[in-house]
Amino acid sequence: MAYWLMKSEPDEASIDDLARAPRRTLAWTGVRNYQARNFMRDAMQPGDGVLFYHSSCAEPGIAGLARVAGNLQPDATQFDPASPYFDPKSTREQPRWLQIDVTLERKTRLLPLAEMRAAVELATMQVLRRGNRLSITPVTPAEWQAVLARLDR
DNA sequence: GCCAACGTTGGC
DNA sequence: GCCAACGTTGGC
């Protein structure tokens, strides 16, 4: 089993939105970066652990634990001209972008970005790398365990 | 709102 | 294939 960190802007999809969703599951749409898409396509498996991260907000940080539920398919928003994620270069025959379902495991205390940066045992996390902009990044088992240990404090 | 960092685009 | 210009991300 693998682990991931997935960024979401709480204005669009927050941990509470996920908690309120039917079966506590949301389709992860709007990924428009090839590297992140390829993680969904090639590496993410149902059951994988997910650190749900709030970005571009007042209090960025990890807000909960989730799980990859599967159901990989073309991202519906790329075909919708009304959507900010509309991609005119994408076709139903050859879709560019994918979505995958994510299910909430549990909401946690917020683990703020500042605390993550200050934590020696989390220093290797990709999301903390300077200039990192990937919305999906792999998390090592050691990092996962370290985050869990810290969340339960 | 600012700005550094990065990805993508498109001319050549 | 190079690379400058541009757009986006995301913390502050």
Side-chain angles (χ1 to χ4, degrees), chain A residues 16-122:
Chain A
D16 292 324
D17 294 331
L18 186 57
R20 279 191 296 261
R23 302 189 326 281
R24 310 213 299 175
T25 298
L26 285 176
W28 207 274
T29 60
V31 169
R32 293 295 179 271
N33 171 286
Y34 289 102
Q35 226 182 316
R37 179 204 66 183
N38 294 347
F39 283 141
M40 290 196 280
R41 187 188 61 192
D42 305 329
M44 295 177 94
Q45 296 291 330
D48 283 359
V50 172
L51 302 175
F52 191 105
Y53 179 93
H54 281 171
S55 70
S56 287
C57 59
E59 290 187 300
I62 293 169
L65 303 177
R67 215 163 269 289
V68 174
N71 194 24
L72 183 72
Q73 59 183 303
D75 180 341
T77 62
Q78 70 194 307
F79 307 121
D80 176 6
S83 166
Y85 296 113
F86 177 62
D87 184 345
K89 291 177 185 158
S90 198
T91 64
R92 300 223 177 239
E93 293 69 33
Q94 291 201 309
R96 285 191 173 187
W97 308 113
L98 299 170
Q99 67 183 46
I100 200 163
D101 287 355
V102 169
T103 302
L104 180 68
E105 197 79 10
R106 65 180 170 102
K107 190 178 168 177
T108 62
R109 77 166 174 100
L110 183 81
L111 177 56
L113 177 59
E115 183 180 337
M116 294 171 69
R117 286 200 190 285
V120 186
E121 74 276 15
L122 302 183

Side-chain angles (χ1 to χ4, degrees), chain A residues 128-151:
Chain A
L128 301 182
R129 284 200 200 143
R130 195 172 123 91
N132 167 71
R133 282 170 35 183
L134 263 188
S135 58
I136 301 176
T137 49
V139 171
T140 68
E143 291 163 353
W144 175 268
Q145 289 305 326
V147 167
L148 289 201
R150 189 161 276 276
L151 280 173

